[in-house]
Amino acid sequence: MAEWLAGISMALLVAWVLVRLRHGRLRGEIERLGEELAAAAAGLFLVQPCPRCHESEMRLLEINPSARSLHYECLHCQKRMRAPAGRPEAAAAAPLQERFQARIEAYGQRHPERDPEVDVLFCTPASPLPFEQTTRQPIPEAVRTEVWRRDQGCCVGCGGRENLEFDHIIPVSRGGATSARNLQLLCKSCNLGKGASI
């Protein structure tokens, strides 16, 4: 009888160890797939920092079935955003998400009492804050040519032809566009005089 109990105990121990190993393998596979999903979200989609709090740490909510976009949220202020696919390889993210969800469901069926805690976290590329931006976009050549022809290569203030500069009528800092309608030719002294009067 003692040998029989010892045999059952050993069989139960072996079964318990096998279950734990399967649990560990499944958990490891979930973690690996989560890391792959995080890398796909950050590298294959045009994700941006949060427009509300400017943080870059995000939680993946879902990848659309067609993998044309993904839904994510800021970890700090919970603002939800969408981002389009940025590369053709993004199509592989949808089946990856399906495998990830299937493993989570399998884990939940085997261990209904345990929460796998499977948030997929990633960081977006950091964009410069306004005070960090030191350069302005150049005026396109076609716009420069149009303004030069319209103003006939002369300062619109004094008619001079030396030290000419392209001037934004409504400054960029106040929302002015870089378009032919918002640009004019001014000589350096007229431009400085205009700047002092704004």
Side-chain angles (χ1 to χ4, degrees):
M1 182 77 163
E3 290 176 10
W4 181 75
L5 281 175
I8 289 179
S9 296
M10 184 56 101
L12 287 174
L13 179 64
V14 168
W16 181 81
V17 168
L18 288 175
V19 166
R20 294 297 294 169
L21 284 174
R22 267 185 267 148
H23 161 71
R25 268 192 235 130
L26 188 56
R27 178 71 185 183
E29 191 172 353
I30 289 171
E31 290 173 4
R32 181 185 57 77
L33 289 170
E35 289 170 5
E36 288 180 27
L37 267 176
L44 301 177
F45 292 85
L46 301 176
V47 291
Q48 297 291 321
C50 179
R52 184 185 297 158
C53 68
H54 305 288
E55 294 294 334
S56 61
E57 295 169 325
M58 304 293 166
R59 175 185 294 114
L60 177 65
L61 299 175
E62 72 168 330
I63 296 173
N64 288 1
S66 64
R68 295 180 61 83
S69 70
L70 63 78
H71 194 199
Y72 62 109
E73 88 176 340
C74 176
L75 282 179
H76 299 278
C77 69
Q78 284 71 50
K79 177 165 178 57
R80 293 184 172 205
M81 297 159 277
R82 293 200 175 270
R87 297 175 54 191
E89 296 87 12
L96 181 63
Q97 179 179 250
E98 288 174 11
R99 286 198 312 274
F100 180 68
Q101 292 298 334
R103 297 306 184 269
I104 291 172
E105 288 173 17
Y107 185 91
Q109 289 171 356
R110 290 183 188 169
H111 309 286
E113 73 286 351
R114 295 187 187 132
D115 180 12
E117 299 175 21
V118 288
D119 284 343
V120 176
L121 307 178
F122 64 95
C123 288
T124 65
S127 63
L129 293 171
F131 66 88
E132 296 172 328
Q133 296 174 354
T134 58
T135 59
R136 187 188 303 178
Q137 292 293 326
I139 300 169
E141 188 64 35
V143 174
R144 292 165 51 98
T145 303
E146 183 180 345
V147 171
W148 187 271
R149 285 184 183 154
R150 182 196 65 210
D151 295 346
Q152 299 174 354
C154 299
C155 172
V156 296
C158 68
R161 293 186 175 271
E162 293 184 11
N163 297 321
L164 295 175
E165 299 174 343
F166 289 93
D167 170 62
H168 286 83
I169 299 166
I170 300 170
V172 173
S173 62
R174 295 190 182 175
T178 303
S179 65
R181 291 181 64 185
N182 192 43
L183 287 169
Q184 62 185 354
L185 282 176
L186 288 179
C187 66
K188 191 169 197 143
S189 59
C190 287
N191 199 6
L192 288 171
K194 178 193 170 206
S197 66
I198 291 179

